[in-house]
Amino acid sequence: MNGFFRILKKIISWIVTHKKIVFVYIPAGILLVFTAYVIIIFFMWQHDRDGALTKLTKYKQLIDRTEELKKGYSYTDSEVDLAAKVVDIPTRIFDRNDEIIGEFFEQKREIVPYDYIPAWLIKAVVASEDRDFYRHRGISYRGIIRAFLVNLAYFRVVQGGSTVTQQLAKVLFTDMERNIKRKIYETFCAHEIEKRYDKQDIMSMYLNLIYFGNGAYGVESAAKMFFGTSVKELPIVECAMIVATISNPKVYSPLSDLDASLRKTQRILESLADAGYVYRDRTARTYDGFLRRWEVVFDEKGKAVSSLIGNFLFSSYRVNRAPFFNESIRRVLVDKFGEDTVKKGGLKVYTTIDAEKQDVATEALRSGITRQREYHLKLAGRMKDTRRADQEMQKAQNIEGALISLDPGTGELLAYVGGYEFSSKNQNDHVAQIRRQPGSSFKPIIYAAAVEGRDITPSTVCIDEKTKFKDGYAPRNYDGNYIGEVIVREALKKSINVVAVKVLEKTGYDGVFRFIRKSLYLSDSELRDRFGRTLSLALGTYEVSPLENCVLHSVIVNGGEYLLPYGIRLVKDYNDTIVWNNEEEIRNLADERRKEIGKIIDPIACAITVSMLRSVFEEGGTASGAVTGNKIDFQIAGKTGTTTNYNDVWFVGYTSNLVTTVWIGNKEGAISLGLGRAGGSVAAPVWVEYISAVFRGNPPVDFRIPDQGVARETICLDSGEVAGRNGECPRVARDVIYYSGTEPGRYCHIHVGTDNPRGDETVIDEKNQEQ
């Protein structure tokens, strides 16, 4: 101890004898060095000044433009570079009715004009961050002294000395590092900002710029992230919580630490009272109301542990109503505009998707996938063999599906669900990125080609029996049974395999391949690589994607016209200037291809095929069970598909204005869904649930039938001939469509026993004559 005092005495003695060095030369030297350092930084600022001010000007223009757009002003040219934003703006995806269905961003930011920001929020910023905001010119020396004294009293950093203007300069122009160089640099910036802009502009730029955690920038994004509403709707305590987050989002965001956020919010309310903006008793009442409104729960120690705050993080904040679709168009946008522009450029992408249909489709497909998963789980629960039970549980985890719905007249994608859930572990788009055997859902293409070639009519009789075709090919029917004589309409309705192969054998491959090549716009080599000239083609053994299957069937529904499916209509930049009219390009390209390839298939053949496919829902049809108990009072048609060993199930359903493909299978590949798990019982119910909801109260019109060259007839389903007038035929179909002149020319010989020529007027009602 004595040694310490001796050392201290020597130091004091040296200071006394060297007073000039200690109190004059050293401080002067420090001051000189500091002054030189400031001068150097000043020259650095002068060097950067023009670029910094240009950046600031662009940012101010962005806010001004936002205000003007909110007021309905329109512009015809782009004044802000598409890929050179001063701040990052999310790209938004809109459906056909201008509802937001998705966003792409790194920084979640929504610019709002000054008059959107509540007065309470601005007062809270002034009270807690910069009391002298309306008096200083960029630097508040009183604020620096006040912060020093407060921090000294608390023995920790409670207040900062930076003004709002300095904080704006820091975020816009510096590297955000905590050092004296940055503080000096931002001082010069702040002075320049104050010279050029008024206080309202500075506050507006600041509150639209600052970070609130979780990728959210600006008070509008923060309001939606925390409270699920626009900032302009926020009352006083909500405004205080947003301001409380500013100083350190990692510590004070309610999403990071609810209890710390609430305590800081109370301090902001106290600052409002200290500044004279509100009475203290009012802050207590409003705070209590805030706790009730957001259902804040405290533990036994009084610590806030849960609330409704932040439940909007993945709803209004991160919108993604069509994740697989949005990801598919993100890739297109990145190819055209670049990754940075898509994430930061504030693009507005207007799509063909119908958000209501999309929501219904998502739920319908999830329900179908869930039912199949539960099937495997129930099987596993009944198995005593642990290994087999584990296999079933693994199957349940890997069940996936797809639903794609488009307008057959235009090719517009209306609903697009690429799987059960889009996540970091599951981003495979089963609509477009997989190919599977379509099974019997491919048969309508075979039948349509045969009808166009006049090789069959709905009344053509075929023999359903065990048959060995050339090269030893011997297909089996789905149920292993054979019914003998059957008309084509019934064979398609019941999806009889042997008859489908006989139809292909009779009509040949040329018409079928022409249909596939033109519909999918394949080159000859692509066609050869993907589809073989084998009779198994009739049973859908060559793979297609759900999207391709939907396109093939859409050609049948639209009367043989080529269509090019698309999802993007327009892309606008932040100024609402159209930068890409994809819809116009798609329609021009589709028109060019229609001129090149002509009609894919005759419209009458299409109408006949659709007419036959309406029978799929009749008693005995493969999808009859799916519509049982569902009141569908408009025309529908479709085709089921089930591949070998029940590996994949399909349903392609039609209305006059909507063609929809549903696929459900195991994402790992050819793995059985289970004995009897067929398209009619697994996939078709998904489609029925979907169309029952989307057309409720707004039914589609009937299927289109050409005005010329068509005949209609009421036929016996056993013989395919004209049904007797007096009800002799037990099973009949009305308004069956034929090429004029190919309709049956006699009454049913099975039930009526009379051969009456077509020309006998007593046989045919006038409504059944050629139209």
Side-chain angles (χ1 to χ4, degrees):
M1 195 69 176
N2 290 332
F4 171 76
F5 282 113
R6 282 198 300 271
I7 294 171
L8 181 62
K9 186 176 180 180
K10 287 182 179 181
I11 292 172
I12 294 171
S13 176
W14 186 89
I15 291 173
V16 169
T17 57
H18 297 83
K19 290 191 290 292
K20 281 191 175 182
I21 294 175
V22 174
F23 296 107
V24 178
Y25 298 140
I26 291 178
I30 293 173
L31 181 61
L32 185 62
V33 170
F34 181 74
T35 302
Y37 187 59
V38 170
I39 291 171
I40 292 170
I41 295 174
F42 175 75
F43 281 113
M44 290 173 60
W45 159 247
Q46 288 295 310
H47 178 269
D48 297 342
R49 181 175 175 275
D50 289 344
L53 293 178
T54 299
K55 186 176 182 181
L56 183 64
T57 300
K58 283 189 175 183
Y59 179 45
K60 179 59 168 57
Q61 286 176 346
L62 190 63
I63 293 177
D64 290 344
R65 176 56 49 82
T66 299
E67 185 169 352
E68 291 162 346
L69 289 173
K70 295 283 185 184
K71 294 178 179 178
Y73 296 175
S74 60
Y75 294 84
T76 57
D77 58 8
S78 178
E79 295 179 11
V80 180
D81 248 350
L82 186 68
K85 284 283 181 290
V86 180
V87 294
D88 297 351
I89 309 292
T91 286
R92 285 181 167 175
I93 316 299
F94 297 87
D95 85 332
R96 63 192 305 106
N97 300 310
D98 293 344
E99 287 190 48
I100 296 177
I101 60 171
E103 292 178 315
F104 304 135
F105 58 86
E106 285 182 348
Q107 297 182 0
K108 167 67 177 180
R109 185 191 308 279
E110 294 186 57
I111 304 292
V112 290
Y114 182 83
D115 58 10
Y116 267 50
I117 303 171
W120 283 121
L121 197 151
I122 294 168
K123 290 175 180 178
V125 170
V126 172
S128 62
E129 299 286 321
D130 189 356
R131 289 279 178 92
D132 300 317
F133 176 67
Y134 292 106
R135 291 190 292 270
H136 66 65
R137 300 305 300 168
I139 307 297
S140 174
Y141 299 102
R142 289 203 306 176
I144 293 172
I145 295 170
R146 183 191 305 113
F148 174 77
L149 294 175
V150 170
N151 294 337
L152 189 64
Y154 280 90
F155 292 101
R156 60 189 175 90
V157 177
V158 175
Q159 286 188 11
S162 295
T163 65
V164 165
T165 314
Q166 285 177 283
Q167 292 181 52
L168 174 61
K170 176 179 68 175
V171 177
L172 267 179
F173 305 129
T174 74
D175 55 13
M176 301 287 287
E177 290 184 4
R178 290 179 174 272
N179 54 48
I180 191 168
K181 173 187 173 183
R182 192 265 294 166
K183 292 294 292 184
I184 296 170
Y185 191 93
E186 78 181 31
T187 298
F188 293 129
C189 297
H191 276 302
E192 195 69 44
I193 291 172
E194 289 278 350
K195 285 190 335 189
R196 290 174 173 268
Y197 299 101
D198 62 26
K199 295 294 185 179
Q200 178 175 307
D201 287 338
I202 293 169
M203 183 64 75
S204 177
M205 288 189 282
Y206 173 68
L207 292 177
N208 276 297
L209 190 69
I210 48 180
Y211 183 55
F212 288 93
N214 293 93
Y217 289 77
V219 289
E220 178 74 357
S221 292
K224 290 184 177 178
M225 178 170 65
F226 296 160
F227 307 114
T229 189
S230 172
V231 67
K232 66 181 179 180
E233 308 294 336
L234 297 184
I236 181 173
V237 183
E238 281 82 348
C239 289
M241 177 166 278
I242 284 181
V243 175
T245 307
I246 292 174
S247 61
N248 193 334
K250 288 184 179 180
V251 175
Y252 296 120
S253 167
L255 304 181
S256 302
D257 188 331
L258 177 62
D259 192 65
S261 177
L262 288 170
R263 285 187 274 109
K264 183 66 180 289
T265 299
Q266 286 181 297
R267 291 203 294 272
I268 300 297
L269 292 172
E270 290 170 5
S271 295
L272 280 166
D274 289 342
Y277 289 129
V278 65
Y279 293 114
R280 290 188 183 277
D281 58 348
R282 181 183 173 186
T283 63
R285 291 196 307 273
T286 54
Y287 182 74
D288 289 341
F290 171 86
L291 297 179
R292 291 192 299 272
R293 183 161 59 253
W294 294 102
E295 299 182 16
V296 179
V297 177
F298 296 88
D299 63 16
E300 63 278 1
K301 296 180 181 179
K303 181 180 179 181
V305 292
S306 69
S307 74
L308 297 180
I309 301 166
N311 280 358
F312 309 92
L313 185 59
F314 295 103
S315 55
S316 59
Y317 173 60
R318 293 180 186 264
V319 182
N320 204 356
R321 289 172 72 174
F324 290 96
F325 172 77
N326 289 340
E327 173 59 20
S328 72
I329 66 170
R330 185 195 66 81
R331 293 192 295 269
V332 174
L333 294 170
V334 168
D335 286 343
K336 188 165 185 69
F337 298 107
E339 187 81 40
D340 283 348
T341 301
V342 171
K343 287 184 176 180
K344 306 174 184 179
L347 300 179
K348 298 174 185 177
V349 184
Y350 296 89
T351 72
T352 61
I353 290 293
D354 185 312
E356 290 186 7
K357 288 183 175 65
Q358 178 69 27
D359 291 345
V360 172
T362 299
E363 290 306 310
L365 182 64
R366 283 181 177 174
S367 295
I369 294 172
T370 298
R371 288 191 292 269
Q372 182 60 35
R373 289 178 176 179
E374 290 174 346
Y375 167 83
H376 291 294
L377 292 175
K378 287 178 182 177
L379 274 184
R382 293 197 296 264
M383 289 177 175
K384 296 181 180 179
D385 186 326
T386 304
R387 184 180 62 84
R388 290 185 60 199
D390 288 344
Q391 289 175 347
E392 287 300 324
M393 294 183 72
Q394 185 65 35
K395 285 182 182 180
Q397 294 174 10
N398 289 327
I399 297 302
E400 266 299 346
L403 188 155
I404 176 68
S405 192
L406 59 80
D407 184 327
T410 64
E412 294 170 276
L413 302 176
L414 299 173
Y416 190 112
V417 190
Y420 183 85
E421 184 179 33
F422 187 88
S423 67
S424 58
K425 296 181 179 179
N426 181 34
Q427 296 185 14
N428 193 36
D429 178 1
H430 297 92
V431 166
Q433 293 179 333
I434 66 162
R435 289 178 184 166
R436 296 293 178 90
Q437 293 183 352
S440 293
S441 70
F442 193 77
K443 287 176 181 175
I445 286 79
I446 307 297
Y447 280 76
V451 168
E452 184 186 41
R454 307 298 203 278
D455 295 309
I456 61 170
T457 75
S459 293
T460 299
V461 176
C462 292
I463 307 299
D464 176 30
E465 60 186 357
K466 281 188 178 181
T467 306
K468 184 175 285 188
F469 296 89
K470 61 182 179 181
D471 299 326
Y473 182 57
R476 292 177 64 254
N477 286 337
Y478 167 79
D479 58 5
N481 296 321
Y482 305 88
I483 61 176
E485 287 191 356
V486 62
I487 65 171
V488 161
R489 184 182 186 275
E490 287 291 281
L492 186 56
K493 163 182 164 180
K494 298 175 183 294
S495 198
I496 298 174
N497 289 340
V498 170
V499 173
V501 176
K502 286 185 174 182
V503 170
L504 176 58
E505 184 182 50
K506 183 176 183 180
T507 196
Y509 297 101
D510 289 346
V512 177
F513 273 44
R514 183 172 62 252
F515 186 110
I516 298 170
R517 179 174 57 79
K518 290 185 175 183
S519 297
L520 301 182
Y521 203 72
L522 302 176
S523 66
D524 289 337
S525 61
E526 287 173 324
L527 184 69
R528 286 193 300 269
D529 289 343
R530 292 187 55 187
F531 300 92
R533 289 179 175 258
T534 65
L535 290 175
S536 65
L537 175 69
L539 306 185
T541 56
Y542 295 95
E543 295 181 339
V544 294
S545 70
L547 178 58
E548 288 175 327
N549 207 4
C550 198
V551 169
L552 290 168
H553 287 262
S554 294
V555 171
I556 296 174
V557 175
N558 73 18
E561 294 284 355
Y562 172 80
L563 78 156
L564 187 58
Y566 69 99
I568 299 175
R569 293 169 49 231
L570 299 170
V571 178
K572 297 181 179 180
D573 68 6
Y574 190 77
N575 297 308
D576 273 354
T577 302
I578 295 175
V579 294
W580 186 26
N581 190 335
N582 181 58
E583 187 166 58
E584 183 177 293
E585 292 180 12
I586 288 291
R587 290 181 176 177
N588 289 339
L589 179 58
D591 287 342
E592 289 175 11
R593 290 182 177 178
R594 288 189 190 108
K595 291 176 184 177
E596 173 193 341
I597 65 180
K599 277 281 187 184
I600 295 174
I601 188 169
D602 182 60
I604 298 177
C606 294
I608 292 170
T609 305
V610 171
S611 175
M612 289 195 291
L613 290 171
R614 292 181 62 192
S615 68
V616 168
F617 302 102
E618 297 172 2
E619 184 179 353
T622 55
S624 60
V627 294
T628 302
N630 290 279
K631 185 180 179 182
I632 299 176
D633 55 359
F634 47 88
Q635 291 187 356
I636 56 175
K639 186 68 190 74
T640 55
T642 308
T643 61
T644 303
N645 198 34
Y646 305 95
N647 291 337
D648 297 276
V649 295
W650 298 75
F651 188 77
V652 187
Y654 314 165
T655 65
S656 60
N657 61 356
L658 199 65
V659 175
T660 305
T661 296
V662 177
W663 166 82
I664 293 177
N666 193 298
K667 67 181 180 182
E668 297 299 321
I671 299 173
S672 177
L673 298 176
L675 184 64
R677 305 298 290 175
S681 59
V682 177
V686 174
W687 178 78
V688 171
E689 180 181 339
Y690 169 64
I691 61 132
S692 297
V694 300
F695 289 118
R696 186 175 294 122
N698 184 33
V701 299
D702 291 348
F703 289 109
R704 183 173 57 183
I705 299 172
D707 296 328
Q708 303 294 324
V710 173
R712 302 174 191 245
E713 191 58 86
T714 298
I715 65 169
C716 172
L717 294 178
D718 294 322
S719 67
E721 297 165 335
V722 179
R725 287 188 169 193
N726 300 316
E728 296 91 343
C729 299
R731 297 188 312 120
V732 302
R734 303 184 185 280
D735 290 332
V736 180
I737 301 173
Y738 298 84
Y739 274 105
S740 181
T742 68
E743 66 272 27
R746 67 176 188 177
Y747 276 119
C748 172
H749 72 282
I750 297 176
H751 303 107
V752 181
T754 305
D755 190 343
N756 291 307
R758 175 73 180 173
D760 187 338
E761 294 182 2
T762 63
V763 176
I764 308 297
D765 289 342
E766 186 168 336
K767 71 173 183 177
N768 293 322
Q769 296 299 308
E770 180 182 331
Q771 298 183 26

